[in-house]
Amino acid sequence: MEIFKIVGIGIIATILTIVLKNQRPEISLQISIVTGVIIFILVVTKLTSVLETLNILARKVDMDLVYITTILKIVGIAYVSEFGAQVCRDAGEGAIASKIEFAGKILIMVLAVPILIALLNLIVELMP
Amino acid sequence: MINFLRSWILNIVSVVIFITIVELILPNSSMKKYIKMIVGLLVMLVIINPILDLMHGKVKLEEDIFRTSSAIHKQELVLNLNHFKGTQQKQIISVYKGNIEKYIKDQIEFNNKIRVLSIDSSIEENVESKEFGNIKELAIVLSNSENNLSKKGIQPVSNVVININENRENDNIEKNENILKAIKEHISKYYSLDKDKININIQKTEK
């Protein structure tokens, strides 16, 4: 079972970080980053299969593929930036974390602009 | 008509289901509202699109989106390209400058048996200029300490013989002047550089 693995890694890492926090805070930070990366990787493989299934589903009902790819890209950006921001926040660097989130927001907006313009064009054409 | 309605409803329902699943796996953070807004735009598109189809015939919405996003990418690329061009040019110029300085140094040391401490050149860096790459100014610092570079290894002691003679000092200066003249002549001949633009100093580190 995957979940036992992940929870085990998480608990062990938590105990280690708590033990080390007073003596060597920098090493406890590294442990937490590495744990985050490991869990992220373990879950990302599962996420890929889920996304693949969604893609196949979308193709079956003949949805426009642009929407799907855009949404998936946005979700990916949100996840990665969230991960980075959380790692930074764990280390006590709230400022850097908010910058990472800011970058993620901008990239999401860049992806959204074409959809926005298409919608606007559509509405303009719809007007008599 | 029934067919049209069927595909429309199917499309809307599938998009809504899809979006629900996507929202489930979203990280719950400040990102969520941005994503929700974009997803809302998409739902609007999906709902409106068939109406337009009905009124105006087939509209290629995907093409529209692609065109806009490719325009954005192109703009980005152009910006990046300009930046890279600038950096590349700077690197090329610095390498070129280094090569010229090294070459001049080698030449002076070889021809005049004198040590060159440093060479500082300024080069026409404007690409549009006709004289791009020409040397504009040249500052050379020579060392006086080991005047005879080639003999240094052979007879190190004999240099320290009595040095009270004033004549010799004069001689030295004259010799230096000659060397300077020769170097200037040489460089200005090779690089078609005005002699006034060449600045040579001799550093006295004898004692």
Side-chain angles (χ1 to χ4, degrees), chain B:
Chain B
M1 190 63 196
I2 265 302
N3 217 350
F4 166 75
L5 274 179
R6 184 183 169 275
S7 73
W8 188 15
I9 291 169
L10 201 66
N11 224 340
I12 293 173
V13 169
S14 55
V15 164
V16 169
I17 291 174
F18 181 79
I19 284 165
T20 326
I21 295 173
V22 165
E23 271 182 7
L24 263 181
I25 58 175
L26 271 186
N28 43 351
S29 69
S30 55
M31 292 291 175
K32 208 161 187 172
K33 52 188 176 198
Y34 295 86
I35 294 167
K36 275 195 168 163
M37 174 206 140
I38 293 159
V39 160
L41 288 181
L42 278 181
V43 173
M44 263 168 90
L45 263 183
V46 169
I47 292 172
I48 293 177
N49 202 14
I51 299 174
L52 199 74
D53 276 4
L54 213 58
M55 283 171 68
H56 293 273
K58 194 77 185 159
V59 178
K60 276 282 167 205
L61 206 64
E62 283 185 41
E63 234 172 58
D64 221 22
I65 293 179
F66 266 131
R67 210 180 309 125
T68 323
S69 64
S70 72
I72 291 176
H73 280 152
K74 208 171 141 192
Q75 221 170 20
E76 219 176 275
L77 211 66
V78 167
L79 279 178
N80 275 346
L81 203 69
N82 280 342
H83 178 239
F84 283 139
K85 250 190 200 159
T87 358
Q88 200 188 21
Q89 211 164 53
K90 259 182 215 153
Q91 279 173 351
I92 288 173
I93 286 173
S94 79
V95 168
Y96 173 71
K97 229 164 130 173
N99 277 346
I100 279 190
E101 282 168 10
K102 191 168 169 283
Y103 188 67
I104 291 176
K105 189 180 166 191
D106 284 351
Q107 255 182 346
I108 291 173
E109 284 186 351
F110 183 76
N111 285 341
N112 303 297
K113 308 279 185 285
I114 198 164
R115 231 179 67 189
V116 178
L117 283 180
S118 75
I119 290 183
D120 197 22
S121 64
S122 77
I123 280 171
E124 178 64 56
E125 291 180 14
N126 190 5
V127 193
E128 264 102 71
S129 164
K130 228 188 240 175
E131 312 196 313
F132 174 61
N134 282 6
I135 304 172
K136 278 199 301 202
E137 241 174 313
L138 205 61
I140 304 174
V141 180
L142 301 175
S143 150
N144 202 18
S145 59
E146 292 140 288
N147 222 339
N148 293 333
L149 198 69
S150 56
K151 288 179 189 168
K152 195 181 95 188
I154 308 169
Q155 28 177 228
V157 196
S158 64
N159 261 355
V160 206
V161 210
I162 320 142
N163 200 4
I164 321 159
N165 212 339
E166 253 191 352
N167 225 5
R168 198 193 149 119
E169 185 106 320
N170 272 342
D171 208 40
N172 219 359
I173 287 172
E174 205 168 291
K175 199 173 147 204
N176 282 342
E177 287 284 314
N178 278 340
I179 287 176
L180 290 192
K181 226 175 183 178
I183 292 173
K184 273 191 185 176
E185 194 87 38
H186 188 79
I187 291 174
S188 71
K189 207 173 77 189
Y190 262 84
Y191 296 96
S192 62
L193 187 64
D194 205 10
K195 265 186 218 172
D196 302 338
K197 298 274 176 67
I198 306 174
N199 202 349
I200 306 183
N201 280 322
I202 296 189
Q203 207 174 58
K204 289 202 172 131
T205 47
E206 218 158 346
K207 273 147 208 170

Side-chain angles (χ1 to χ4, degrees), chain A residues 50-117:
Chain A
V50 170
L51 292 184
E52 200 61 42
T53 326
L54 281 180
N55 236 338
I56 291 169
L57 206 82
R59 232 170 277 152
K60 209 173 265 175
V61 293
D62 199 25
M63 232 162 82
D64 282 337
L65 254 145
V66 182
Y67 309 145
I68 311 296
T69 47
T70 311
I71 292 179
L72 294 187
K73 266 186 201 167
I74 288 171
V75 170
I77 289 173
Y79 254 103
V80 172
S81 60
E82 184 67 24
F83 173 73
Q86 269 171 3
V87 167
C88 292
R89 209 161 271 142
D90 274 354
E93 293 291 339
I96 296 176
S98 59
K99 260 75 183 181
I100 290 178
E101 275 178 351
F102 171 68
K105 279 171 194 167
I106 285 181
L107 288 180
I108 288 174
M109 281 299 141
V110 168
L111 280 179
V113 165
I115 295 173
L116 198 79
I117 288 174

